[in-house]
Amino acid sequence: MQTAVLFQELRNIALKLDSLRVELTIRKQEREDKFSGLDNEGNPKSRRKRNIPAARLEEFQRLEEEIKQLEKQAKAARDEQKQKAKILEKIAGITTEEILKMSSEELGQWSQISIDPNAPNAKMLQQLISLQTDWLEQFGRNDRFNAPLIKRSQVVAGTCIGVPREIYDIEFDLCIVDEASKATATEVLVPMARSKKWILVGDPKQLPPFQDEASRNVEFLEEYELTLEDIQETLFDRLLRILPDGCRKMLTIQHRMVEPIGKLISTCFYDSQLDSNGPEIDQTLNKVLPRPVTWLTTSKLPNSREKSVGSSFDNSCEVRAIAHWLKQLNSVAEVAQKHYSVAVLSGYAAQLKLLNRSLDSEQNSLKALAIECNTVDAFQGREADIVLYSVTRSNKDGKVGFLRDEARLNVALSRGRIGLVIVGDSQFCRLLSNSPLYRVLQYIEQHPTDCKLEDLNP
């Protein structure tokens, strides 16, 4: 009996090791496919890119941790396997080396033949061992276990579309949807339909869900008797508009930004309804950032106008100003032995391309900075120590494009924790009375204690 049980336990360990080997192979291949340019410590193999964006580094570290945990589990299983094999060697007379070489199928066979067929209840015992084997093989290895596991769980997390695959017959007491203002009505309704009560959390003053081309097509809207406002309104917006006051609550304390940035965002985008409880002001930055909110104006620089690139725009004057300021920041950070994450944002793909090309060549000399260039839309929901926003637009006709989009500007200016730098032509923006950037410029000029408008000279 003991011999049969030990063989069965060894078989289960062998199955577990087989599963762990497969998982390790998958994770290591994922690491190779996604991060071939990094060594095992997460450092670039190439000298050209010294700094890795924080989000990408976090993903690499998560994958490395998963691999380490799998390797740890495999080692523990091998140690247990050796201990049981040594015990079995004394009982069955088979060497440990021979036992360790057996496959899971061979171990199962040995478990069966180790039971005396003439013993009482021998057949039942074999059936029980076989049933145990089948159970351990199936447990956690296929989708049939997901729904029972979820039913027994108190809290289940997932995406609006992903979770319902496993909850088609499960009803929740409460559904909490984060970033609800970024979800379409059809997305949000999926988990809501499975719940008795709902809490939707979101910011209607930031970017809405992506709208496909069909939803902006005039013929499509007319066919279904829809207006553009009908398409743009999210379920979050609608509920916010029609629900009674007792069902709505505004969270009025922001924790991400230092107070000067928080005050600007509150005044310009939230009717001064937000209070700040963010980080302390970093005095190290005073040498390069006169105020936590600083506008570096290119108005006095030559060639400060935008350039059309297909359907987009770039501004090489702003790119040069940004590269120069980042060098100054890096010098200050190195002296103070500090490291800062920096997001350089623009609303235009052409400007992003120009920024990447310029800053790629400077990465080796900016060792104290982890710099990421991105569009405003792609950076929503994320943050950095310091944000540089490239206005990009500057023309004699007063054309503003994305600069009239209040939600997009709100996102851009509210990503920085301790520093916000706006780079652009303030004289051009001063003429844009229909742009929220005009209000931002006015606020900066009216609050010299927290903000500064600084000329960049040729």
Side-chain angles (χ1 to χ4, degrees):
M1 175 65 179
Q2 185 182 6
T3 303
V5 172
L6 280 169
F7 270 119
Q8 183 58 46
E9 290 176 345
L10 282 164
R11 181 181 185 276
N12 295 336
I13 293 173
L15 287 171
K16 182 178 181 180
L17 283 168
D18 289 342
S19 177
L20 288 170
R21 288 189 194 99
V22 171
E23 286 292 322
L24 271 168
T25 301
I26 292 171
R27 295 293 185 275
K28 287 180 178 179
Q29 186 60 51
E30 183 182 356
R31 181 178 63 185
E32 178 62 27
D33 292 342
K34 289 185 176 180
F35 305 101
S36 57
L38 303 182
D39 61 22
N40 290 339
E41 301 299 321
N43 299 313
K45 294 177 182 177
S46 168
R47 293 179 60 85
R48 193 175 73 85
K49 287 195 174 182
R50 291 278 184 178
N51 299 317
I52 308 300
R56 183 167 169 78
L57 186 58
E58 285 175 9
E59 184 181 0
F60 174 81
Q61 290 170 341
R62 175 192 59 75
L63 191 56
E64 278 294 296
E65 183 59 31
E66 288 180 6
I67 290 172
K68 287 179 182 177
Q69 288 299 320
L70 288 170
E71 289 175 339
K72 186 177 179 180
Q73 291 176 37
K75 183 180 183 304
R78 285 193 297 270
D79 291 342
E80 184 182 4
Q81 186 184 42
K82 289 176 183 177
Q83 290 176 357
K84 291 187 182 295
K86 288 177 181 178
I87 296 171
L88 192 57
E89 180 181 16
K90 295 176 182 178
I91 298 173
I94 307 173
T95 65
T96 299
E97 186 177 349
E98 287 178 300
I99 295 170
L100 293 177
K101 287 180 179 179
M102 291 182 187
S103 66
S104 58
E105 291 80 6
E106 291 172 326
L107 289 165
Q109 291 169 3
W110 273 96
S111 177
Q112 292 289 329
I113 64 176
S114 297
I115 298 174
D116 183 356
N118 298 318
N121 301 321
K123 190 172 182 180
M124 181 181 290
L125 183 58
Q126 287 177 334
Q127 289 175 342
L128 287 172
I129 291 177
S130 178
L131 181 62
Q132 181 197 38
T133 300
D134 291 341
W135 169 259
L136 291 172
E137 281 185 349
Q138 293 293 323
F139 186 79
R141 292 170 181 262
N142 61 51
D143 294 340
R144 286 182 295 172
F145 284 85
N146 292 345
L149 181 63
I150 290 174
K151 284 180 178 179
R152 293 178 62 84
S153 301
Q154 297 299 307
V155 179
V156 178
T159 63
C160 288
I161 302 301
V163 166
R165 296 172 187 168
E166 313 295 346
I167 64 169
Y168 55 88
D169 63 344
I170 302 173
E171 186 178 58
F172 291 92
D173 296 315
L174 176 66
C175 168
I176 303 174
V177 182
D178 192 19
E179 296 287 359
S181 56
K182 281 283 290 177
T184 63
T186 50
E187 289 172 336
V188 177
L189 283 171
V190 174
M192 287 175 65
R194 306 291 180 188
S195 308
K196 299 175 184 176
K197 297 180 180 180
W198 319 311
I199 297 177
L200 272 60
V201 184
D203 187 346
K205 292 184 178 291
Q206 297 204 354
L207 290 170
F210 172 75
Q211 302 291 339
D212 59 27
E213 290 298 326
S215 65
R216 295 193 294 269
N217 184 282
V218 175
E219 294 179 0
F220 172 85
L221 296 177
E222 290 177 350
E223 181 181 352
Y224 293 96
E225 299 181 353
L226 296 169
T227 65
L228 187 59
E229 288 73 24
D230 293 329
I231 292 293
Q232 290 177 339
E233 185 178 52
T234 64
L235 182 60
F236 183 83
D237 293 329
R238 181 172 177 78
L239 292 175
L240 197 61
R241 176 167 55 83
I242 66 173
L243 287 176
D245 290 344
C247 296
R248 296 178 294 170
K249 172 69 175 176
M250 182 174 180
L251 305 179
T252 58
I253 300 178
Q254 71 82 19
H255 299 273
R256 172 187 294 151
M257 302 163 277
V258 292
E259 190 172 11
I261 303 177
K263 283 182 176 179
L264 178 144
I265 298 300
S266 177
T267 303
C268 295
F269 301 102
Y270 295 94
D271 301 321
S272 301
Q273 291 180 288
L274 297 183
D275 293 321
S276 292
N277 186 23
E280 296 293 323
I281 292 176
D282 188 341
Q283 301 298 335
T284 302
L285 297 176
N286 290 347
K287 297 176 182 177
V288 65
L289 193 64
R291 302 288 187 276
V293 178
T294 296
W295 185 312
L296 302 177
T297 177
T298 59
S299 299
K300 294 183 179 180
L301 296 179
N303 305 315
S304 62
R305 295 297 195 186
E306 69 196 44
K307 185 177 73 173
S308 176
V309 183
S311 60
S312 188
F313 297 90
D314 67 23
N315 191 312
S316 58
C317 178
E318 290 182 19
V319 171
R320 289 191 295 272
I322 289 169
H324 179 71
W325 188 86
L326 286 172
K327 289 178 183 177
Q328 292 179 313
L329 174 62
N330 185 76
S331 298
V332 169
E334 285 185 335
V335 171
Q337 296 184 330
K338 289 190 174 184
H339 191 271
Y340 295 107
S341 60
V342 181
V344 184
L345 305 179
S346 173
Y348 293 91
Q351 182 72 344
L352 177 62
K353 184 176 181 180
L354 199 61
L355 283 163
N356 275 317
R357 189 186 308 155
S358 173
L359 296 179
D360 274 354
S361 63
E362 301 288 349
Q363 284 283 16
N364 286 344
S365 61
L366 302 175
K367 298 178 182 179
L369 309 178
I371 303 170
E372 178 178 354
C373 300
N374 219 326
T375 60
V376 176
D377 298 56
F379 208 74
Q380 173 157 295
R382 297 172 57 194
E383 59 187 49
D385 293 330
I386 300 165
V387 163
L388 287 92
Y389 176 63
S390 175
V391 175
T392 308
R393 301 304 299 267
S394 174
N395 55 74
K396 62 181 180 180
D397 301 319
K399 295 180 179 179
V400 295
F402 285 143
L403 299 187
R404 71 164 63 91
D405 190 329
E406 185 167 317
R408 184 168 278 105
L409 188 62
N410 181 14
V411 171
L413 304 188
S414 61
R415 302 301 96 195
R417 287 188 288 266
I418 57 176
L420 170 62
V421 182
I422 301 170
V423 181
D425 184 350
S426 62
Q427 292 300 327
F428 169 74
C429 295
R430 202 181 302 280
L431 304 174
L432 309 179
S433 57
N434 61 337
S435 167
L437 201 54
Y438 173 77
R439 297 201 306 270
V440 171
L441 178 59
Q442 276 192 320
Y443 180 92
I444 290 173
E445 291 181 315
Q446 292 168 4
H447 295 81
T449 303
D450 294 336
C451 313
K452 184 172 183 180
L453 177 64
E454 185 170 273
D455 287 316
L456 295 174
N457 296 310

